[in-house]
Amino acid sequence: MKILVTGGCGFIGSHTVCELLDNDYEVVIIDNLSNSKIEVIDKIKRITNKEVYFYEGNVQDKDLLQRIFKENTIDGVIHFAGLKAVGESVKVPLMYYCNNIDSTLTLLEVMSECNCKNIVFSSSATVYGVQDTPKYVETMDRGKSSSPYGETKAIIEKILEDLYTSDPTFKITILRYFNPVGAHKSGLIGENPNGIPNNLMPYILKVAVHELPELTIFGNDYDTPDGTCIRDYIHVVDLAKGHIKALEHAHNHEPNIYTYNLGSGHGVSVGEMVTAFEKANNLKLNYKYGARREGDLPEYYADPSKALRELGWKTEESLEDMCKDSYHFITMEKGE
Ligand code: NAD
Ligand code: UFG
């Protein structure tokens, strides 16, 4: 089977491409490299010893998509391409709506035209918004989005639902990721954003390798056991494997719209993450407590039981693995 992976040079996309190739799928990537580097393609080839086809371009470019579908027999699409920085989306909402939604509409139009009706979409736990309980389950309604970024995910989920209603021959799988961290065991691919990171693990890594002086823990006065926020961190390789399971499930089932949480089911506080990172890598992190970050929820984690029941998927990597693999990657990047 040949899979088109949009955003396949990015953090989650590159790990998923490796899993696809390891599982004997053929892979075509489209990425405009707006948040990734071309070197990733060679690294994927080094890791897997397999060929991967790459088109540099924007998923909003309909002509390019049509050319890709003409030049390749695409059996399914995994749609990662999108902008993902929550804070930035508040500052430049139009760029987020335009990039994330327009690219999805263009992709779906071309898929319909080419009769390719199997898509896996990267959604996010953020679509749950604020709920009465911290344990998010797929039967809950989508909540109020806390950012334009989150709103793009909620809108795309709705677009996919409407598409399925209009054309029930589509197989649509919506995967709601919790907090992906970690890196490939090879240390060749991982997440190393340019500039000052927004997310916890990339920030910890920059402090660990002395590129930034100290981590600020955003708030220690939440109603949680240690006062810091609780999230469900998931190793990116476990997450990547979830996509293979989603494709297999779609292949073996009738067209429908399927939605799954991909998370570990365990909440970990920011304080616990810092301690786990120090222990796993035998180092000390400079950190201080600061004010709460606007928009942060105190606590949420996945109920991942539907993914286990229907996809046969669950996380395997521990918090220690996430911390070790992330640090291994950043030290390799820096050539240490
Ligand atoms: P990433 O930024 O590392 O990867 C996204 C890739 O898409 C990048 O390589 C970027 O260059 C590319 N891209 C963006 N817009 C494009 C466009 N219009 N055309 C072509 N390429 C484009 O992000 P990631 O962490 O790998 O996330 C992948 C997907 O998962 C995104 O849709 C993101 O919103 C979603 N997601 C991520 C997280 C997270 O915490 N990392 C959580 C939930 C959901
Ligand atoms: N945090 C800090 N200091 C930092 C960075 C983060 O204390 O420098 C804390 C945050 O306050 C939060 C926790 O670490 O409590 C995790 O923050 P992240 O920014 O790493 O992740 P979020 O949970 O805010 O959001 C992430 C993705 C979103 C996605 C969401 C889904 O960034 O794209 O998970 O759950 F929508």
Side-chain angles (χ1 to χ4, degrees):
M1 287 216 337
K2 199 180 243 189
I3 305 299
L4 174 64
V5 181
T6 76
C9 295
F11 173 46
I12 307 170
S14 58
H15 289 81
T16 304
V17 169
C18 289
E19 288 300 318
L20 286 166
L21 293 170
D22 284 345
N23 284 277
D24 293 328
Y25 288 89
E26 286 186 90
V27 176
V28 178
I29 294 175
I30 174 172
D31 200 304
N32 64 1
L33 304 177
S34 58
N35 196 36
S36 51
K37 298 193 179 87
I38 185 70
E39 293 86 278
V40 167
I41 298 291
D42 273 339
K43 291 179 176 175
I44 290 171
K45 289 180 187 167
R46 274 173 67 191
I47 290 169
T48 61
N49 229 349
K50 300 257 175 75
E51 197 48 61
V52 57
Y53 306 94
F54 176 60
Y55 292 81
E56 183 175 344
N58 197 313
V59 182
Q60 291 166 271
D61 180 345
K62 194 167 191 177
D63 292 342
L64 175 61
L65 280 186
Q66 284 168 330
R67 179 156 77 84
I68 294 174
F69 276 84
K70 204 167 162 204
E71 291 175 358
N72 303 273
T73 306
I74 303 291
D75 299 294
V77 177
I78 308 183
H79 181 34
F80 292 106
L83 299 173
K84 63 162 184 174
V86 175
E88 185 183 56
S89 79
V90 177
K91 293 193 186 106
V92 283
L94 299 187
M95 187 168 98
Y96 272 67
Y97 285 115
C98 187
N99 187 80
N100 292 4
I101 295 173
D102 191 35
S103 59
T104 307
L105 291 174
T106 309
L107 175 66
L108 294 171
E109 275 171 11
V110 176
M111 287 178 70
S112 290
E113 269 170 36
C114 301
N115 205 29
C116 173
K117 299 195 174 177
N118 181 11
I119 183 166
V120 177
F121 171 63
S122 298
S123 190
S124 165
T126 193
V127 300
Y128 287 106
V130 182
Q131 301 283 347
D132 293 336
T133 155
K135 191 173 184 172
Y136 292 169
V137 59
E138 295 88 343
T139 47
M140 289 171 171
D141 287 337
R142 284 186 290 267
K144 189 177 173 306
S145 299
S146 57
S147 69
Y149 162 74
E151 191 65 24
T152 67
K153 294 294 176 193
I155 290 171
I156 294 169
E157 288 199 0
K158 179 75 172 76
I159 290 170
L160 291 168
E161 288 163 8
D162 291 346
L163 174 66
Y164 177 71
T165 306
S166 73
D167 180 355
T169 66
F170 255 96
K171 288 182 175 180
I172 297 170
T173 312
I174 292 172
L175 300 179
R176 293 177 176 162
Y177 311 154
F178 282 67
N179 286 51
V181 296
H184 196 268
K185 302 280 175 206
S186 64
L188 289 174
I189 51 173
E191 188 174 33
N192 184 15
N194 291 329
I196 298 185
N198 302 301
N199 299 114
L200 181 63
M201 184 58 89
Y203 207 109
I204 286 179
L205 295 180
K206 295 228 184 226
V207 174
V209 296
H210 310 292
E211 276 184 36
L212 288 171
E214 67 182 350
L215 169 74
T216 301
I217 295 181
F218 297 140
N220 62 343
D221 56 352
Y222 286 98
D223 186 15
T224 59
D226 68 6
T228 67
C229 288
I230 292 176
R231 294 287 179 275
D232 184 336
Y233 296 94
I234 168 173
H235 196 295
V236 65
V237 173
D238 275 333
L239 186 59
K241 288 178 178 166
H243 294 73
I244 311 299
K245 294 286 188 185
L247 283 178
E248 284 169 3
H249 177 268
H251 185 68
N252 294 324
H253 287 79
E254 292 301 308
N256 210 327
I257 181 152
Y258 301 97
T259 302
Y260 299 102
N261 286 340
L262 294 186
S264 72
H266 304 292
V268 170
S269 74
V270 179
E272 286 170 333
M273 179 59 98
V274 168
T275 307
F277 190 89
E278 291 182 330
K279 189 162 172 243
N281 297 305
N282 196 23
L283 51 74
K284 282 280 164 212
L285 286 172
N286 276 335
Y287 68 88
K288 65 172 185 205
Y289 294 108
R292 292 181 176 194
R293 182 172 70 177
E294 207 184 0
D296 275 344
L297 296 176
E299 178 179 17
Y300 61 82
Y301 49 91
D303 177 342
S305 54
K306 187 179 175 200
L308 177 60
R309 217 168 41 243
E310 296 187 10
L311 304 180
W313 174 90
K314 65 177 170 58
T315 58
E316 285 166 0
E317 305 278 343
S318 65
L319 187 60
E320 186 184 357
D321 296 321
M322 299 178 210
C323 294
K324 276 190 170 160
D325 295 339
S326 299
Y327 186 59
H328 179 221
F329 162 71
I330 201 73
T331 51
M332 293 261 297
E333 281 272 286
K334 281 187 69 86
E336 284 177 5

